Amino acid sequence: MTDILLTAEPTLGQRARTALGRRNLVFVGLMGAGKSAIGRMVATQLGLPFIDTDHEIERVSRMTITELFAAYGENEFRALETRVIKRLMRGGPRVISTGGGAFINDNSRHHIKSAGLSIWLKADLDVLWERVNKRDHRPLLKTENPKQTLQDLMDRRYPVYAEADLTVQSRDVRKDVIVDEVLEAIIDYCDKGKPK
Ligand SMILES: Nc1ncnc2c1ncn2[C@@H]1O[C@H](COP(=O)(O)OP(=O)(O)OP(=O)(O)O)[C@@H](O)[C@H]1O
Ligand SMILES: O=C(O)C1=C[C@@H](O)[C@@H](O)[C@H](O)C1
Ligand SMILES: [Mg+2]
């Protein structure tokens, strides 16, 4: 029994955890990419706490994101989002899923880059649309043509998300497939530059 334990290979999650070290792992990408769902599962595999910035903003403000946008507008929301991200990046390591616009904001992106390994969950329009059109709690998509709005956001934001350290393609496959690809990507990225 003891022999089996001593010779067991580390799991993908354990290898990724070692590679990550003290850094936070920060998920970025558009609404519906899977930052919250995949982020939570990755945190479990890494044995790290998970936090979602949208939830944290709602907790500290005691308002929903929709109420915040309606009462104070997007600029105030972004300022609050930056403060929350700055605070979260000081602690850790943990897995942090950000709201869709967080990495686009210069200040928030700066804080993320300074203390985190960022990972972009990239998805094409049809995958995103299929996921977000079922619920209507996203203020930026309350437009005449939300699918076109999503396309416009992709056009504007994808060049900025591309600045993330890692990219994993989010698509219509089981979530654990994406989780494993995230863990592999962390290991590959952190092993780069190490002598073989
Ligand atoms: N690989 C996947 N296969 C099927 N469904 C998925 C997959 N990844 C995520 N989903 C589902 O898509 C929906 C949107 O995912 P999620 O809420 O995690 O996106 P998000 O990136 O956090 O979006 P937002 O920026 O709006 O918070 C959820 O219902 C989630 O369960
Ligand atoms: O893409 C965005 O700008 C947003 C995404 C959501 O996660 C929320 O943070 C909010 O609805 C704004
Ligand atoms: Mg989310």
Side-chain angles (χ1 to χ4, degrees), residues 37-69:
I38 302 295
R40 184 178 291 283
M41 291 170 73
V42 167
T44 303
Q45 293 297 316
L46 293 173
L48 287 177
F50 171 76
I51 196 148
D52 186 295
T53 60
D54 281 341
H55 290 164
E56 185 61 9
I57 289 166
E58 291 186 334
R59 191 185 69 80
V60 296
S61 66
R62 298 198 200 156
M63 292 170 83
T64 65
I65 304 280
T66 304
E67 287 166 349
L68 281 166
F69 265 73

Side-chain angles (χ1 to χ4, degrees), residues 113-159:
K113 284 185 171 187
S114 67
L117 185 69
S118 49
I119 180 156
W120 175 25
L121 285 184
K122 184 179 184 183
D124 65 30
L125 180 64
D126 288 333
V127 168
L128 294 173
W129 178 244
E130 189 54 38
R131 292 179 188 167
V132 299
N133 78 8
K134 294 182 184 121
R135 294 183 62 192
D136 71 344
H137 66 293
R138 294 168 167 105
L140 290 185
L141 294 183
K142 291 197 166 110
T143 61
E144 291 265 304
N145 184 348
K147 191 170 180 186
Q148 183 59 47
T149 305
L150 203 52
Q151 177 66 66
D152 295 343
L153 286 171
M154 286 175 76
D155 294 343
R156 278 206 306 270
R157 290 179 172 184
Y158 274 25

Side-chain angles (χ1 to χ4, degrees), residues 26-35 54 74 78 81 85 97-106 108-109 112-113 117-124 128 132 138 140-141 149-170:
V26 186
F27 282 87
V28 306
L30 260 189
M31 296 169 254
K35 303 176 300 290
D54 281 341
E74 182 170 353
R78 294 297 169 206
E81 184 174 54
I85 287 175
S97 286
T98 58
F103 201 64
I104 307 305
N105 179 278
D106 290 343
S108 295
R109 190 167 66 257
I112 292 169
K113 284 185 171 187
L117 185 69
S118 49
I119 180 156
W120 175 25
L121 285 184
K122 184 179 184 183
D124 65 30
L128 294 173
V132 299
R138 294 168 167 105
L140 290 185
L141 294 183
T149 305
L150 203 52
Q151 177 66 66
D152 295 343
L153 286 171
M154 286 175 76
D155 294 343
R156 278 206 306 270
R157 290 179 172 184
Y158 274 25
V160 185
Y161 293 139
E163 290 182 32
D165 298 310
L166 308 171
T167 301
V168 166
Q169 188 75 32
S170 177

